[in-house]
Amino acid sequence: MMDPNSLTSKPLPRLTPDNTPFWEACRRHELVLPWCAACDRPHWPPGPVCPFCFGSPVGWRRASGRGRISSWVVVHKEWLPAFRNDLPYNAVQVELDEGVRLTGNVVGVPNEALKVGLPVEVVFDDVTETATLPRFRPVGTQAEPATKDA
Ligand SMILES: [Zn+2]
């Protein structure tokens, strides 16, 4: 059993009343976004009210899962021992077609090939029996995440 608070275990999503629908959808391999019924806009991160119009309630809608890299870094430093075997690994920000930006990793592409504007699509990584992380792969590939800590 993985201890999510241990430095030797990778951190897992911390569920809150606001983000639980997102993580439950990931378990079903669906990407959903909080969507304001009042102004008809998605936003991120999830919260009890819309950050644009302060309206509520906020519902959830299925997202396309497609977007483009808007920023990226390659991590070479061992910030946590749990990530030692992954070095160097990438961390990216993806601007989804819906306009919100999610943070994650890109799989199936060498870090040297990362660039702003690269079209990507979501792929789901069942890292534990109860947690699934959304990651991204270049559009047009069938790359699957290679979970190293499952
Ligand atoms: Zn709104």
Side-chain angles (χ1 to χ4, degrees), residues 2 11 26 30 38 42 52-53 59 80 92 101 108 117 122 132 136 148:
M2 185 184 301
C26 285
E30 293 177 8
F52 301 114
C53 74
L80 290 173
V92 302
R101 293 181 175 190
V122 73
T132 297
F136 295 90
K148 293 178 179 176

Side-chain angles (χ1 to χ4, degrees), residues 35-41 43 49-56:
W35 212 289
C36 176
C39 72
D40 198 31
R41 295 174 71 178
H43 57 266
V49 298
C50 169
F52 301 114
C53 74
F54 305 108
S56 65

Side-chain angles (χ1 to χ4, degrees), residues 31-118:
L31 190 71
V32 297
L33 294 173
W35 212 289
C36 176
C39 72
D40 198 31
R41 295 174 71 178
H43 57 266
W44 193 261
V49 298
C50 169
F52 301 114
C53 74
F54 305 108
S56 65
V58 173
W60 292 83
R61 287 192 200 170
R62 185 104 180 244
S64 68
R66 291 199 170 205
R68 292 175 184 274
I69 292 177
S70 52
S71 185
W72 58 272
V73 295
V74 174
V75 179
H76 294 270
K77 181 175 171 57
E78 182 189 316
W79 295 103
L80 290 173
F83 291 88
R84 176 180 301 149
N85 294 335
D86 296 338
L87 295 172
Y89 61 87
N90 68 67
V92 302
Q93 189 175 62
V94 171
E95 183 168 323
L96 297 174
D97 288 352
E98 290 81 4
V100 306
R101 293 181 175 190
L102 297 185
T103 303
N105 313 107
V106 172
V107 300
V109 65
N111 289 334
E112 295 73 25
L114 295 173
K115 61 180 180 181
V116 169
L118 183 74

